[in-house]
Each structure stands twice: as structure tokens, then as C-alpha cells.
């Protein structure tokens, strides 16, 4: 279980995240909805242990995230820093090795995912030669190569066409069924409505709405969140 309790993050005098609390159970998909600058990336960096909260705490299965936990966490954070000179295989081997996986396991899983994303012929292609959408798929594959228990996805659908969005959704659902805790951010409500159990709407670091979508839906309009068909 992931537990975020009364977390706050200041950058100098700016409060990027203020008094945020939520928890995610195994097999649950949790969404963070917010416009640019709402604090989504800051939250993910704190969950991953890359930033210390100014106040509050984050516990992963009852403990502060430590170096060993990284093997069980998958992440795709928005500052996309793919090592562009590498081939698809080299890149995924690199990330897989960082998660403690052996070469054979990584290649077996990579081949499976490439097939699922119709990218079988891309194994030796250089990352820099791929389209943005294909780079995103490879980045997604790197985040799931360790079959994570916690999957952190910062704007996973941004820039994807509807077909690929659907593919990502199917894969995320497969992980959900296996008991993975999933947290993702988006600035588009249509990604979350049919997708996640719980949602936080963030405005300038402040959670203005929080709960099951069915419960908080009635307040969307008040926060200028428009559902399809509204
Ligand atoms: P985006 O989708 O644009 O990345 P976001 O919701 O992920 O937005 P954050 O990147 O977490 O938001 O930023 C939240 C606020 O904190 C913004 O006002 C941003 O300018 C500020 N901020 C982020 N990182 C830093 C930093 N290292 N130093 C100072 N301010 C920062």
C-alpha cells in the first residue's frame, strides 16, 4: 500500500504541494488531474524518493521508500530523458539491469511488449530515429519491464492517438489485475472518467476535489472540468 499523509513541498517561498493525503491499495488505479504547474510532477518525485517532502510523509508498504524498493517500482516521468543514442534493445537492457533483472529475462519481456505494441521490428532501431509516439511506447515499456508493484506514470497519454491510448489503458489494466498499485497524472478528464477508482483534482498544489469519480463528479463543473458531452 502507498500512503501519502499531509504532504507539503515548498520550493523557496512557493508552495508547490500543500497538505496532500491519499492512499493506494494493490490493484487500484489512482488519478491526479491538474493543469500545468498544479504540482503533479513534484508529487511523483516525492513518491519516488527523488525529492524530500517539506512536511508530511510517504510510506510504501509501511516504510519510507528506500533504495531496494526501486526494483519494485516502475516510473515514467514527464521530463523524458531517453538515452537517444541507444537502440531500443540497449535502452531497455540498461533500465532492466538498473532494476536488477538479468539479460535473458529483460529480452524475453521486451520481445513480448514489442509484439503487443506492434513494434517487433524496432529492436535495433536507435531511439532518436523513432517517432514521438513510439518513443513514448518504449518509455512505457521501460517502466513496466520489472513487473512493478507500484507504477507511477506522469502524463502517460499525452500526445498519444486514441488507438495507442487504448493500448496503454489495456496494459495498465492488466497490471491492475495482477495487483499493481497505479498512479497517473493527466490534464484531460476523458482519460480518467472510465479509468481510475479514485481521483484528486489539484489546483496550484492544493487538492480541491478528492474521492471516487462517481462521488465528486457533481462538483466538476464548479472547477471548470468538463466531461465529454457536457
Ligand atoms: P507540468 O505538467 O507543467 O509539469 P506539474 O503539475 O507537474 O506541471 P510541477 O512541475 O510539480 O507541476 O510544478 C509545480 C510548481 O512548482 C510550479 O509552479 C513550478 O514552477 C514549481 N517548480 C517545480 N519544480 C521547481 C523547482 N525545482 N524549483 C522551483 N520551483 C519549481
Amino acid at each position: 500500500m502507498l500512503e501519502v499523509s499531509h504532504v507539503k513541498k515548498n520550493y523557496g517561498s512557493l508552495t508547490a504541494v500543500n497538505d496532500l493525503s491519499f492512499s493506494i491499495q494493490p490493484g487500484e488505479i489512482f488519478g491526479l488531474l491538474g493543469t500545468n504547474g498544479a504540482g503533479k510532477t513534484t508529487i511523483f518525485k516525492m513518491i519516488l524518493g527523488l525529492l524530500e517532502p517539506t512536511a508530511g510523509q510517504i510510506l510504501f508498504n509501511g516504510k519510507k521508500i528506500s533504495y531496494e524498493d526501486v526494483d519494485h517500482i516502475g516510473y515514467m516521468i514527464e521530463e523524458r530523458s531517453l538515452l537517444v543514442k541507444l537502440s531500443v534493445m540497449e535502452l531497455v537492457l540498461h533500465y532492466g539491469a538498473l532494476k536488477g533483472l538479468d539479460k535473458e529475462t529483460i529480452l524475453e519481456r521486451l520481445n513480448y511488449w514489442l509484439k503487443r505494441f506492434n513494434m517487433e521490428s524496432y529492436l535495433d532501431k536507435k531511439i532518436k530515429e523513432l517517432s514521438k509516439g513510439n518513443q513514448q511506447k518504449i518509455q512505457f515499456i521501460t517502466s513496466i519491464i520489472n513487473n512493478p508493484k507500484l507504477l507511477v506514470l506522469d502524463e502517460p497519454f499525452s500526445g498519444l492517438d486514441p488507438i495507442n491510448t487504448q493500448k496503454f489503458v489495456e496494459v495498465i489494466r492488466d497490471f491492475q489485475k495482477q495487483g499493481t498499485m497505479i498512479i497517473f497524472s493527466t490534464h484531460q478528464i476523458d482519460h480518467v472518467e472510465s479509468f481510475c477508482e479514485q481521483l484528486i483534482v489539484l489546483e496550484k498544489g492544493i487538492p480541491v476535489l478528492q474521492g471516487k469519480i462517481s462521488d465528486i463528479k457533481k462538483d466538476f463543473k464548479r472547477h471548470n472540468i468538463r466531461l465529454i458531452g457536457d
Side-chain angles (χ1 to χ4, degrees), residues 95-180:
Y95 277 99
L98 288 177
K99 304 283 178 189
L101 299 174
D102 61 68
K103 191 174 173 182
E104 205 181 4
T105 306
I106 302 166
L107 289 179
E108 196 181 298
R109 291 182 188 174
L110 173 59
N111 281 319
Y112 169 81
W113 290 119
L114 287 178
K115 226 180 236 163
R116 247 184 104 163
F117 285 109
N118 301 324
M119 290 182 74
E120 294 103 313
S121 59
Y122 286 73
L123 200 59
D124 295 315
K125 284 246 161 65
K126 294 260 187 280
I127 298 295
K128 64 180 174 195
E129 290 162 9
L130 304 186
S131 68
K132 271 210 146 158
N134 281 337
Q135 285 189 0
Q136 204 160 326
K137 289 185 218 166
I138 299 301
Q139 196 184 20
F140 185 49
I141 292 174
T142 64
S143 76
I144 54 177
I145 201 75
N146 59 334
N147 292 342
K149 292 194 179 123
L150 171 66
L151 181 57
V152 177
L153 302 169
D154 197 357
E155 303 267 359
F157 310 114
S158 78
L160 285 185
D161 60 35
I163 292 172
N164 282 310
T165 299
Q166 192 47 39
K167 276 219 167 112
F168 273 44
V169 167
E170 280 164 20
V171 173
I172 292 169
R173 285 235 181 270
D174 285 354
F175 277 98
Q176 178 189 26
K177 283 184 207 132
Q178 290 172 31
T180 300

Side-chain angles (χ1 to χ4, degrees), residues 11 14-17 34-43 45 78 154-155 187 202:
Y11 294 113
L14 175 92
T15 299
V17 175
T35 49
N36 285 350
K40 304 177 301 287
T41 307
T42 300
I43 293 165
K45 285 183 177 167
E78 236 222 327
D154 197 357
E155 303 267 359
H187 53 266
L202 276 177

Side-chain angles (χ1 to χ4, degrees), residues 206-222:
I206 298 165
V208 293
L209 285 178
Q210 180 165 356
K212 287 201 171 120
I213 307 235
S214 51
D215 295 336
I216 62 175
K217 218 169 161 176
K218 59 181 179 342
D219 297 316
F220 280 0
K221 267 198 184 141
R222 197 153 49 84

Side-chain angles (χ1 to χ4, degrees), residues 184-203:
F184 77 101
S185 69
T186 181
H187 53 266
Q188 280 175 273
I189 187 68
D190 46 322
H191 291 149
V192 302
E193 205 199 347
S194 61
F195 189 46
C196 59
E197 281 84 22
Q198 291 212 64
L199 177 72
I200 282 187
V201 179
L202 276 177
E203 281 175 14

